[in-house]
Amino acid sequence: MSSTPSFSTRTERRHALAKADFVDAAYAVIEQHGFKGFTLDLVASHVGLRKQAIYHYFPSKEAVLFEVALAELTRSAQAVADAVDKVESGVDAIEALLRTYFHAFAGKIRLFQISHTALPFFDFKRMMSGDNLVRIRPLNDLLYAGAAQRLHADSKGTLSLADARRLAFVAYTSVVGLLTMKALVESADDPLVHQDTAMIDTLVSVFRNSIAQGNKKK
């Protein structure tokens, strides 16, 4: 029996590779021109094709940007899961979540803006329906599950798994808020006077102290 891939399989592979090329080109355009300067003409020029070729793979500019955003969200969520896997306690897991997510985007503010602050301004309801929502939902477990399980285990049952997951979610939204402020002021060429290290250290300290105080009350 021949092991040669079928025509349909080869076509699917070429299609996936072409889409990946456009997404890589979109990354390059965002890094050079930011969200406001992003155009499909620039993306097409990076791969040596005309803009019309992109519509064979993506229905709109927003669809290209969604793929970039999803890739960044997946990268950062997986980094958090990997970092949390290396620690044992719940409080260390929360610190790993905070530090890893912050450093995943602190040097990539333009990509943070695309994936966190600019994306909701698109036709968000349409983009978050169907297959796209199915692709995003697993990221929640990568971000929260490991920390929640460790917090729950540390509490010996006094902190429910749902409450532990909520604490992990609040930690996540806190670091997203810090990155959002960083992105806001840097886009106005008015960077924060506080160093990145000092800001994330303070945020980590707040959560560590809060968890420690909560444990003392039990």
Side-chain angles (χ1 to χ4, degrees):
M1 182 179 293
S2 173
S3 61
T4 303
S6 67
F7 175 78
S8 61
T9 300
R10 294 196 300 271
T11 300
E12 289 173 2
R13 288 178 180 173
R14 286 196 296 270
H15 187 86
L17 288 172
K19 287 189 70 174
D21 285 343
F22 283 122
V23 173
D24 288 344
Y27 266 96
V29 172
I30 292 166
E31 290 285 8
Q32 293 175 22
H33 302 280
F35 172 61
K36 290 183 178 180
F38 181 88
T39 68
L40 291 184
D41 287 308
L42 288 172
V43 172
S45 69
H46 269 269
V47 294
L49 295 172
R50 297 196 307 184
K51 181 173 72 173
Q52 286 74 13
I54 298 177
Y55 291 110
H56 182 67
Y57 303 95
F58 300 96
S60 64
K61 179 175 78 172
E62 288 78 9
V64 178
L65 289 170
F66 174 83
E67 293 302 323
V68 174
L70 180 61
E72 284 302 296
L73 292 170
T74 302
R75 174 187 67 85
S76 56
Q78 187 61 61
V80 167
D82 292 344
V84 169
D85 279 345
K86 295 176 182 177
V87 303
E88 295 184 2
S89 72
V91 68
D92 286 343
I94 290 295
E95 177 170 351
L97 187 162
L98 291 168
R99 291 191 185 278
T100 303
Y101 207 84
F102 182 78
H103 291 300
F105 286 108
K108 296 184 174 184
I109 287 300
R110 284 180 169 176
L111 290 172
F112 174 81
Q113 291 172 316
I114 292 294
S115 55
H116 291 76
T117 61
L119 191 60
F121 289 99
F122 303 149
D123 187 350
F124 200 59
K125 183 176 181 179
R126 178 177 58 81
M127 294 182 69
M128 291 298 103
S129 62
D131 292 342
N132 286 344
L133 191 58
V134 171
R135 296 167 69 193
I136 285 178
R137 279 179 171 159
L139 302 184
N140 291 330
D141 278 341
L142 291 175
L143 288 166
Y144 317 131
Q149 290 163 3
R150 286 162 175 77
L151 288 166
H152 174 64
D154 288 350
S155 75
K156 295 181 172 56
T158 59
L159 182 69
S160 70
L161 191 56
D163 287 343
R165 191 176 177 101
R166 183 168 60 248
L167 178 55
F169 174 73
V170 170
Y172 164 75
T173 57
S174 296
V175 74
V176 168
L178 177 56
L179 285 163
T180 300
M181 179 57 68
K182 180 177 169 66
L184 179 64
V185 297
E186 289 186 8
S187 66
D189 292 323
D190 186 25
L192 295 168
V193 296
H194 308 292
Q195 296 296 314
D196 285 356
T197 300
M199 291 191 293
I200 192 60
D201 284 351
T202 300
L203 188 58
V204 166
S205 179
V206 168
F207 274 90
R208 292 192 75 97
N209 291 338
S210 176
I211 293 170
Q213 289 298 318
N215 290 336
K216 288 179 181 179
K217 293 178 182 178
K218 296 169 184 175

